[in-house]
Amino acid sequence: MCSSDLVANTQIRQVLAHATDGRFQYNPTHYQALTPVVAQCSKQSFRQAMTQEVLDRLALTRSVPGLDLARPEGAGLRDQFDPRTWDRYQSVLRDVAVPYRIDSKARSTRSEYPSYGLDAASGLVSTAADLARFEGELDRRSGTPLSFSTLDQMWSNTTFAFTNGLTLTTPTGLGWFVTNESGQRLVWTFGHIPDASSALIVKMPSKRLTLIMLANSGGLAQGYNLENANVTSSPFVKIFLRLFI
């Protein structure tokens, strides 16, 4: 059985809710600590678990478990995949968008993605179409790849009770932000690789609507207040809400 504790007095749900020190503080790098937990539970590497349980089960054919698979440092992983799958991954990685750095005067210069494998914090290469397929499965609540009870915990604000009698309710569920705007519950997340890429996903579960945005610069996240659970600081989200609420 896999353990619910990562380190002393820290639970998996605290890491997922960004509440590892008894208060909300967004820090996605803490998710790296979940990588060996998944490996322990699944009896295989995190990369293998992600490939089998998500990418293969949902037929996400334009997603790749790690940018390093197209680089020399990932060559040793070739034997983990059949030749056809490996060739497909290489084809997808050749199409990865060129990243750009945007300066204070809105001038763009080419940058580079960091050399990165896959762990519980980052590394998956995907497309808007594959993400839409994944999000559609969540909206259908079919039990694939996540159960009803897991989704309910992911998409509900998390409350922690402490021995001193105090409680903490975070602006996150397990792995997602959960906020309300104009009476509508929003479930959302974002990603950001400085000077290289950014992503924003916003869901309205009651309407089964999802906004998915990907960029090969930091423009979707940089300079906004998303890390403090302020989703409406994004002009893209403001337009989305204006259209659908």
Side-chain angles (χ1 to χ4, degrees), residues 4-244:
S4 63
D5 289 315
L6 299 175
V7 294
N9 302 317
T10 301
Q11 296 185 335
I12 292 172
R13 65 194 298 265
Q14 289 177 292
V15 176
L16 289 171
H18 301 286
T20 55
D21 59 355
R23 62 189 177 91
F24 170 76
Q25 185 174 19
Y26 178 75
N27 190 338
T29 62
H30 286 172
Y31 281 10
Q32 292 174 351
L34 299 176
T35 306
V37 176
V38 173
Q40 179 185 355
C41 293
S42 64
K43 309 302 181 185
Q44 57 187 333
S45 71
F46 182 88
R47 195 188 310 249
Q48 290 170 322
M50 172 64 75
T51 300
Q52 294 176 15
E53 297 300 322
V54 180
L55 305 188
D56 291 348
R57 287 182 71 185
L58 300 183
L60 304 183
T61 59
R62 297 289 291 172
S63 298
V64 178
L67 189 66
D68 61 332
L69 295 185
R71 298 182 173 183
E73 57 268 31
L77 299 169
R78 183 168 187 159
D79 291 342
Q80 294 185 13
F81 307 96
D82 64 76
R84 195 170 176 181
T85 298
W86 181 264
D87 289 344
R88 173 165 55 83
Y89 287 166
Q90 301 310 304
S91 175
V92 172
L93 292 172
R94 284 193 292 270
D95 291 338
V96 169
V98 174
Y100 287 91
R101 177 186 298 108
I102 309 297
D103 66 18
S104 59
K105 295 183 179 180
R107 295 174 300 196
S108 62
T109 56
R110 180 168 178 166
S111 60
E112 295 293 334
Y113 294 113
S115 183
Y116 208 81
L118 179 70
D119 61 27
S122 186
L124 182 69
V125 178
S126 193
T127 63
D130 268 9
L131 287 172
R133 184 180 180 87
F134 175 79
E135 297 298 334
E137 288 296 330
L138 298 186
D139 288 339
R140 280 189 282 276
R141 301 176 71 86
S142 63
T144 302
L146 300 170
S147 67
F148 297 161
S149 61
T150 298
L151 278 178
D152 286 341
Q153 292 181 69
M154 288 169 58
W155 293 352
S156 301
N157 295 96
T158 304
T159 298
F160 298 93
F162 302 101
T163 55
N164 59 8
L166 297 177
T167 61
L168 168 69
T169 298
T170 66
T172 55
L174 301 183
W176 292 78
F177 286 91
V178 183
T179 56
N180 282 275
E181 297 293 336
S182 302
Q184 185 70 239
R185 180 168 58 116
L186 301 180
V187 179
W188 57 280
T189 188
F190 73 100
H192 184 206
I193 300 176
D195 297 327
S197 68
S198 54
L200 183 61
I201 301 176
V202 183
K203 301 179 69 66
M204 289 186 193
S206 66
K207 297 186 177 183
R208 296 177 66 176
L209 287 174
T210 302
L211 170 69
I212 298 173
M213 301 185 72
L214 307 176
N216 54 338
S217 73
L220 293 175
Q222 189 171 336
Y224 303 122
N225 199 24
L226 300 176
E227 67 276 7
N228 290 317
N230 185 4
V231 69
T232 56
S233 64
S234 165
F236 309 106
V237 174
K238 288 179 180 178
I239 294 172
F240 178 65
L241 298 181
R242 192 179 306 137
L243 291 172
F244 295 106

